[in-house]
């Protein structure tokens, strides 16, 4: 699918009097990381980022308007949402209500197939699906770029899950009004050369993190002496990555992704107090990736804010890479992902 087709694939339209819509979205894994905000309210990042949308772990979200209700009803996997999870969803719905001019509360039902809060991009798929479904249910007519901006307000990485394959999220303007900054920060597809990649996901710990991504990000930006040098080098990494993708050079893509991710974790280790997501199992998997390269397999690791390791490789090598990291993952689950689709509305029969 070309960039122009992708940019219109998730266009929403008013759903009429029913005010009901269901959407599905997939997580994305950043190869050039998003780490650090310059605006907490608008969720504007300090740097550009670039990701691959996966074809596994979809989130499906249904939004149904409830005229006359005095509160939003939110369930996650059949369980009523509580605490911070509920607050973020209701805050996002308030933004949609403000933009649509419709004050009705909503019933939101989300089924998430990726472990939540484990550094596996559950918030990316979750808020991308919510953005598409809520925009349709409330009758907002938005193109994909505008939906990307909207999803960003729920979770920064959700802006990228609006699109399939490889995606860049622009940090946007650092000067001007809030409105100008908001409009300038969005995601869009990245053209690539002939790539046939896979991402092997080693889940060494599916449990929630002790330190949330938001808290760790804030602490790193505020206290780590390594953060600013990493953010500066990340701009060069992004330029190098786009060139490597354009020529279809998977080895270069992997090398850049690995150095960018390890640099991000170095900034966290230098925070005060340190944020350490890598576990002994993470390090064992990372060592197995190095051994794969010594054995002639093009395999490169990346990690997000969590202990789980993702390994970029050629699709033809995915089974071998999966067997190797499975042996290293100390009983953890291993999944093979390919580039996946962008977010989309589902029809009434679930298609």
């Amino acid at each position: 699918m070309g960039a122009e087709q992708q940019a219109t694939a998730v266009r929403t339209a008013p759903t009429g009097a029913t005010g009901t819509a269901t959407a599905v979205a997939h997580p994305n894994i950043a190869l050039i990381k998003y780490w650090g905000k310059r605006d907490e309210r608008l969720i504007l990042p300090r740097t550009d980022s670039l990701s691959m949308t996966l074809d596994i772990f979809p989130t499906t979200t249904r939004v149904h308007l409830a005229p006359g209700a005095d509160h939003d009803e939110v369930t996650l996997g059949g369980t009523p949402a509580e605490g911070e999870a509920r607050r973020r969803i209701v805050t996002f719905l308030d933004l949609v209500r403000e933009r649509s001019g419709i004050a009705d509360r909503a019933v939101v039902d989300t089924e998430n197939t990726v472990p939540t809060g484990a550094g596996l991009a559950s918030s990316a798929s979750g808020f991308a699906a919510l953005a598409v479904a809520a925009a349709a249910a409330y009758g907002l007519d938005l193109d994909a770029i505008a939906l990307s901006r909207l999803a960003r307000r729920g979770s920064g990485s959700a802006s990228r899950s609006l699109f399939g394959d490889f995606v860049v999220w622009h940090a946007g303007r650092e000067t001007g009004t809030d409105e100008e900054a908001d409009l300038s920060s969005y995601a869009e597809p990245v053209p690539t050369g002939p790539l046939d990649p896979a991402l092997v996901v080693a889940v060494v710990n599916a449990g929630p993190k002790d330190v949330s991504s938001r808290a760790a990000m804030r602490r790193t930006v505020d206290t780590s002496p390594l953060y600013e040098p990493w953010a500066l080098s990340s701009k060069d990494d992004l330029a190098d990555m786009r060139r490597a993708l354009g020529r279809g050079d998977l080895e270069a893509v992997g090398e850049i992704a690995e150095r960018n991710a390890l640099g991000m974790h170095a900034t966290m280790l230098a925070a005060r107090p340190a944020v350490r997501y890598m576990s002994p199992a993470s390090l064992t998997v990372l060592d197995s990736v190095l051994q794969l390269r010594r054995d002639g397999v093009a395999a490169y690791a990346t990690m997000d804010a969590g202990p789980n390791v993702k390994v970029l490789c050629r699709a033809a090598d995915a089974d071998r890479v999966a067997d190797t990291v499975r042996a290293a993952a100390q009983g953890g689950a291993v999944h093979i992902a390919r580039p996946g689709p962008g977010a989309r509305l589902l029809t009434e029969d679930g298609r």
Side-chain angles (χ1 to χ4, degrees):
M1 181 180 290
E4 183 177 350
Q5 290 174 296
Q6 289 193 50
T8 60
V10 293
R11 184 182 297 274
T12 67
T15 57
T18 59
T20 300
T22 303
V24 63
H26 290 74
N28 68 80
I29 297 300
L31 304 179
I32 301 297
K33 299 300 185 186
Y34 153 51
W35 196 245
K37 299 183 184 74
R38 71 177 193 274
D39 188 305
E40 294 273 355
R41 183 179 67 86
L42 295 176
I43 309 188
L44 297 174
R46 297 282 298 269
T47 64
D48 298 342
S49 59
L50 188 148
S51 64
M52 186 179 100
T53 300
L54 309 185
D55 65 349
I56 60 174
F57 296 147
T59 296
T60 303
T61 297
R62 180 179 183 269
V63 177
H64 174 71
L65 302 196
D70 61 2
H71 67 278
D72 295 306
E73 181 179 326
V74 181
T75 60
L76 302 176
T79 302
E82 298 178 345
E84 180 66 7
R86 174 182 170 78
R87 184 199 67 78
R88 289 178 66 185
I89 291 171
V90 170
T91 299
F92 186 83
L93 291 173
D94 287 341
L95 178 64
V96 174
R97 282 187 279 262
E98 177 186 345
R99 294 186 177 185
S100 69
I102 297 173
D104 292 343
R105 295 292 178 174
V107 177
V108 178
D109 183 23
T110 292
E111 291 291 337
N112 211 356
T113 61
V114 60
T116 300
L120 290 168
S122 59
S123 65
S125 57
F127 276 98
L130 179 61
V132 173
Y138 280 90
L140 293 176
D141 186 14
L142 304 177
D143 64 18
I145 296 297
L147 273 170
S148 176
R149 294 189 192 99
L150 178 63
R152 189 197 77 228
R153 297 291 296 273
S155 171
S157 56
S159 65
R160 299 188 304 246
S161 280
L162 263 292
F163 303 96
D165 299 331
F166 293 89
V167 183
V168 63
W169 173 20
H170 302 288
R173 295 182 53 172
E174 297 188 15
T175 58
T177 65
D178 283 355
E179 181 180 6
E180 290 169 336
D182 180 41
L183 290 173
S184 67
S185 184
Y186 58 87
E188 63 179 345
V190 173
T192 67
L195 287 169
D196 191 19
L199 200 69
V200 177
V201 180
V203 184
V204 301
N205 187 340
K209 298 169 291 195
D210 291 334
V211 181
S212 72
S213 296
R214 288 191 170 196
M217 193 180 294
R218 189 177 301 117
R219 187 190 305 175
T220 302
V221 172
D222 290 345
T223 71
S224 174
L226 299 185
Y227 180 77
E228 291 298 340
W230 174 82
L232 186 62
S233 70
S234 192
K235 295 180 180 180
D236 293 332
D237 287 345
L238 179 75
D240 291 345
M241 176 71 77
R242 296 196 69 160
R243 286 191 289 268
L245 285 170
R247 64 179 183 267
D249 187 343
L250 186 131
E251 287 90 347
V253 168
E255 289 173 1
I256 298 162
E258 188 169 280
R259 78 191 187 206
N260 188 266
L262 294 178
M264 181 188 78
H265 280 267
T267 70
M268 288 186 265
L269 290 171
R272 301 172 184 180
V275 178
R276 185 173 70 86
Y277 286 125
M278 289 186 185
S279 68
S282 308
L283 296 174
T284 302
V285 173
L286 291 174
D287 286 343
S288 76
V289 174
L290 287 175
Q291 187 59 52
L292 280 165
R293 290 211 292 271
R294 294 189 191 104
D295 294 339
V297 179
Y300 303 89
T302 186
M303 294 180 66
D304 293 297
N308 302 304
V309 183
K310 300 87 177 178
V311 186
L312 183 71
C313 62
R314 291 188 175 88
D317 294 327
D319 287 337
R320 177 177 176 180
V321 171
D323 289 342
T324 298
V325 300
R326 186 178 291 110
Q330 304 176 14
V334 175
H335 308 269
I336 298 175
R338 300 293 302 278
R344 63 188 178 92
L345 286 171
L346 298 180
T347 59
E348 290 184 4
D349 60 3
R351 297 181 181 178

